Amino acid sequence: MLFNSLAFAVFLPVVFAVYWSLQKTPLRYQNLFLLLASYVFYGWWDVRFLLLLFVSSLCDYLVGMFMTGTASHRRKRSLLIVSLAVNLALLGFFKYCNFFIESASTLLRDLGLGHGTRTLRIILPVGISFYTFQTLSYTIDVYRGKVRPTRDFISFFSFVSFFPQLVAGPVERAKNLLPQFYVRRTFDPRRASDGMRQMLWGLIKKMVVADNVGTLVDYVFANPGDMGWQCLLIGGALFSVQIYCDFSGYTDIAIGSARLFGFDLMTNFAYPYFSRNLAEFWSRWNISISSWFREYVYIPLGGSRVGPVRHAVNLVLTFTISGLWHGAYWTFLLWGFLHGLFYVLTMVTGHTRRYEGPVAPGRVLPSLREALCILLTLIPVVLTAVIFRTRTMRDAAAFMQGLLILRSGTWPGIGFFLQGLTFTGVLFLVEWLQRRRAHGLEISRLPRALRWAVYYALITVLILFGSFTEHAFIYFQF
Amino acid sequence: MRRWITTLVLFTVSCILFLEMLFRFVIPACELPAWMQLEGGFMVFDRGYQEQGYHATGRFPSVSSMHRWRINNDGWNSTFRYRRVAGRDRPLIALLGDSGVEGLWSDVEEHIDAWIHQELKGTFDVYAFGRHAQPLVEIMMLMERVDSIYKPDIFVVFLGHDALLSSLTRDAYGEYHYLFPAPLLGSFLVVAPDVREPSGLARAAMRSALVRFLAFQINLEIFPLTNVTLEYPDLSGWLRDSWMERLLPLAGRHMLARMSSTLGDRRLLIVGDSWIRRYSIYGEPSNAPSTETVDDGLALLDSLCSRKSTPGIDFLDLTDAYRAAWDSTGTCFESGTSRHLNGYGNSVAAHAIVRRLQHSGALRMAAASWRDRNPHPEQRLGR
């Protein structure tokens, strides 16, 4: 079920009404209802997907249980390996199987050792990368002793399948989300109102900006070899806007709808395009996944507590794996690898200063230095986003070549892009003004009349400019 | 929580009211007239719904792209009140056709029928019977119905789509008659559509400007009753595309022969509005949506009309008329981004139709025939 669908518009109020009507019943009924609702939400795509979700949840629930019952470190380690094997096998089969078959086949053909390939017809279950990582984090944290394993079957299954964040995150850690299922939630009108505001902002980002900009991006990326450099430049930049608005829009709706049910999910995007260096960018972009890789890949590899060369290798390796997490394409791998390289480069040049708080504190405009830093950070982000968007290395090369040699080619004129650029400009202007707040529509301090006027205006904008053709969120494919 | 829900309900109601006002007075939503189905399967506009309004398309219809419509006493979009044969004091031209005649893409006062009436200085009544995408078989059946009610003296059929090809397959909504090839009979059977009741709920919902905007201007399918797709059996489902080349001339001949038999000694002019060729007049053929079947279908009809088996039927290709008009005025014929004709385009088409009817002698013959049958119309009408 897509957040921007009619089905969800009916589903959410119904679940909300039933959920809060169960407020005075034992907590497990409320949790059980959430679990059922989440399975309906996920099964809406394909009922068969529910089996995978169930298997993944059951595996980690049992592993957690067995870990409780044993003091043996060796046995705990074996149990962890079982969990890793099951979850990664599911992920590997459904997401990477054909990629490895095709890659191996190409390699063998190039070596003259074989020809032809037969791939499997596998459907990629929506959100599998997200919930497998979420359950894995639970098992690893239990193994590390950071989280107490739960015996509460309903709470655990609800934690894994919690519908607002099930298919595209934020990838929650058990220590943050799971305890929220143990305590009775009370309805907080302020939190619910703010949740609705955040959902509205998410819908604006997705349906007005991302989907409209997406049609322009599709035009440019459909045939990058024929496009003029101006087209490629704007197309590349607009894709960065699209992916941000698409993914952070989803996150806003997820966090907002979770708040309606009395849950607080972690922040996933903190105005990443206003970052002053790459380190800051990665602490603001897709925070739940970035921190997952830092916690469960980068640090176990040795992190920064090793020699400089090994540290650099750790960084590049972590970024490359995170690229592969996005999908079974060489371009994703290259995207991750390049981000790793750029990160190492900024580290070598000493531009990894940890910034506290938002840019330009206490000022409306950034200083010249801050503006330059933001611009310089955006360049690698936009360039690598181009690689992220293209599906073949050949397309990526054609795109980059066109940009570098300022190739003349198709150029439909600036008017073609004007609407997309206007949406982008207005969105980033609002986000800039709101950069100290949790989301772009955090306006609880305004008088009610003014707030309602803003809501009317935004709903009007949504109806007038929004795309109502139910475009799936980009990150669902990951 | 009760207070929060009360506030939420208040907000929702006030927001709906705000949007209703917005789409009613500031950014007008289109007001499509509702259709209803008569016995026999013919669709007419529902007069019980709304008798006049304007049709607008796109998210931001400017005033210039809104077109007035008016539903008359018999459920057709026309400025004229339709009178039965006993109440008329002059001969009648019946104009049948697709969306070009339905006329939601130009003001009702600038429809083809209105221009023909004006060109003929009111000596003929001109009644239009248009519905979008009507296949030729539907027009054939409608022609028989129109003949039984109004007894026209001349028929004009205006086609801007692949009416011949679409006669052989059931349309998506099962609203039209279609032609079923019956090889055992060596002929074709006409399959009638199922009669459907108009939905009262949809009609009520359509009174809201907000609902109309959501349903028609951004195609949000929140009121499925406005656009019901039912599972209709399509008897022609077994037809293969490769058979069409041989089947289409046979079907065309069959329908024209039946239309010809309806005519008796009257005349029928089939008018082909090939919008692909019309676009090519501007020298920008790449702007034309490519639907070669329209061109091919109209060309086939043209060739069938010149045969002896279809007496009384004449064919007019409007391309030359458009070209001449473009050369002399340089004015476009289309309504905004739609390929449909605007008021000017309609006037050009009407002028060409009148000229052809004059040159072929159809007008003279119809007027004479009318006089023979009605020697003293004023006396008959009691004037």
Side-chain angles (χ1 to χ4, degrees), chain B residues 67-333:
Chain B
H67 303 296
R68 277 189 300 282
W69 50 261
R70 195 178 77 83
I71 305 309
N72 70 7
N73 59 316
D74 275 359
W76 299 97
N77 183 20
S78 170
T79 51
F80 303 117
R81 187 178 168 80
Y82 291 2
R83 295 175 293 183
R84 304 292 195 274
V85 65
R88 271 204 324 269
D89 56 357
R90 67 199 80 177
L92 171 67
I93 298 173
L95 174 65
L96 296 89
D98 51 27
S99 49
V101 177
E102 186 182 44
L104 291 171
W105 298 89
S106 57
D107 287 341
V108 68
E109 300 85 357
E110 295 186 341
H111 283 184
I112 299 174
D113 53 320
W115 288 121
I116 295 176
H117 185 263
Q118 193 176 315
E119 287 245 351
L120 295 173
K121 297 186 172 60
T123 52
F124 278 74
D125 273 349
V126 187
Y127 295 173
F129 307 91
R131 177 153 162 76
H132 59 268
Q134 280 193 126
L136 191 61
V137 62
E138 179 75 12
I139 291 171
M140 178 184 87
M141 300 303 288
L142 186 61
M143 191 174 148
E144 290 171 14
R145 179 181 169 80
V146 166
D147 188 37
S148 70
I149 300 173
Y150 305 99
K151 289 274 177 249
D153 300 278
I154 297 174
F155 287 97
V156 177
V157 169
F158 185 92
L159 298 174
H161 75 293
D162 49 354
L164 199 53
L165 183 64
S166 60
S167 294
L168 283 165
T169 48
R170 173 151 252 182
D171 60 290
Y173 300 111
E175 292 173 343
Y176 297 132
H177 292 80
Y178 73 100
L179 213 53
F180 172 62
L184 289 178
L185 299 175
S187 183
F188 294 87
L189 298 175
V190 176
V191 184
D194 303 318
V195 175
R196 285 187 297 162
E197 291 295 320
S199 157
L201 182 62
R203 206 178 293 168
M206 285 302 123
R207 290 197 181 278
S208 156
L210 172 59
V211 171
R212 285 197 305 274
F213 192 88
L214 295 176
F216 296 131
Q217 267 144 306
I218 59 179
N219 295 325
L220 194 62
E221 298 274 348
I222 52 173
F223 296 97
L225 288 171
T226 63
N227 203 5
V228 184
T229 307
L230 300 175
E231 286 297 321
Y232 290 104
D234 182 1
L235 297 175
S236 302
W238 53 276
L239 291 178
R240 291 184 192 164
D241 288 346
S242 56
W243 299 349
M244 287 300 178
E245 201 175 327
R246 294 181 63 188
L247 212 49
L248 278 176
L250 296 173
R253 213 170 295 154
H254 174 84
M255 286 185 281
L256 291 178
R258 183 160 163 178
M259 289 163 107
S260 181
S261 70
T262 306
L263 285 175
D265 57 354
R266 291 169 294 176
R267 293 295 181 93
L268 163 64
L269 175 65
I270 296 181
V271 182
D273 172 34
S274 170
W275 38 266
I276 298 173
R277 285 187 229 158
R278 197 205 307 146
Y279 273 92
S280 71
I281 292 169
Y282 306 136
E284 295 175 42
S286 60
N287 287 346
S290 71
T291 308
E292 287 77 11
T293 52
V294 177
D295 250 8
D296 296 346
L298 292 176
L300 179 58
L301 270 179
D302 190 359
S303 71
L304 291 174
C305 288
S306 59
R307 290 172 187 240
K308 285 182 181 172
S309 57
T310 56
I313 303 181
D314 191 12
F315 188 90
L316 169 65
D317 180 355
L318 287 175
T319 312
D320 290 342
Y322 291 136
R323 190 167 287 122
W326 171 255
D327 289 344
S328 63
T329 65
T331 307
C332 287
F333 311 108

Side-chain angles (χ1 to χ4, degrees), chain A residues 6 16 20 187 189 192-193 196 260 448 452 455-456 459-460 463-468, chain B residues 1 4 7-8 10-11 14-15 18-19 22-23 27 59-60 213-214 218 220-222:
Chain A
L6 183 62
F16 177 84
W20 287 113
F187 184 78
S193 297
M196 291 195 73
L260 283 179
R448 176 179 284 184
W452 282 31
Y455 305 150
Y456 290 156
I459 291 170
T460 305
I463 290 177
L464 292 182
F465 298 104
S467 169
F468 288 84
Chain B
M1 188 174 191
W4 187 82
T7 311
L8 184 66
L10 263 176
F11 173 76
S14 65
C15 189
F18 168 75
L19 292 170
L22 182 79
F23 293 123
I27 304 169
R59 291 281 177 95
F60 296 102
F213 192 88
L214 295 176
I218 59 179
L220 194 62
E221 298 274 348
I222 52 173

Side-chain angles (χ1 to χ4, degrees), chain A residues 393-411:
Chain A
M393 298 295 247
R394 185 174 296 176
D395 280 349
F399 203 108
M400 289 299 173
Q401 191 192 26
L403 268 181
L404 290 173
I405 64 169
L406 300 181
R407 183 178 58 215
S408 57
T410 307
W411 168 240

Side-chain angles (χ1 to χ4, degrees), chain A residues 35-57:
Chain A
L35 175 63
L36 289 174
S38 299
Y39 270 63
V40 168
F41 176 84
Y42 193 54
W44 204 263
W45 271 283
D46 194 326
V47 182
R48 291 170 298 177
F49 292 171
L50 291 176
L51 187 67
L52 287 176
L53 180 63
F54 183 79
V55 167
S56 182
S57 309

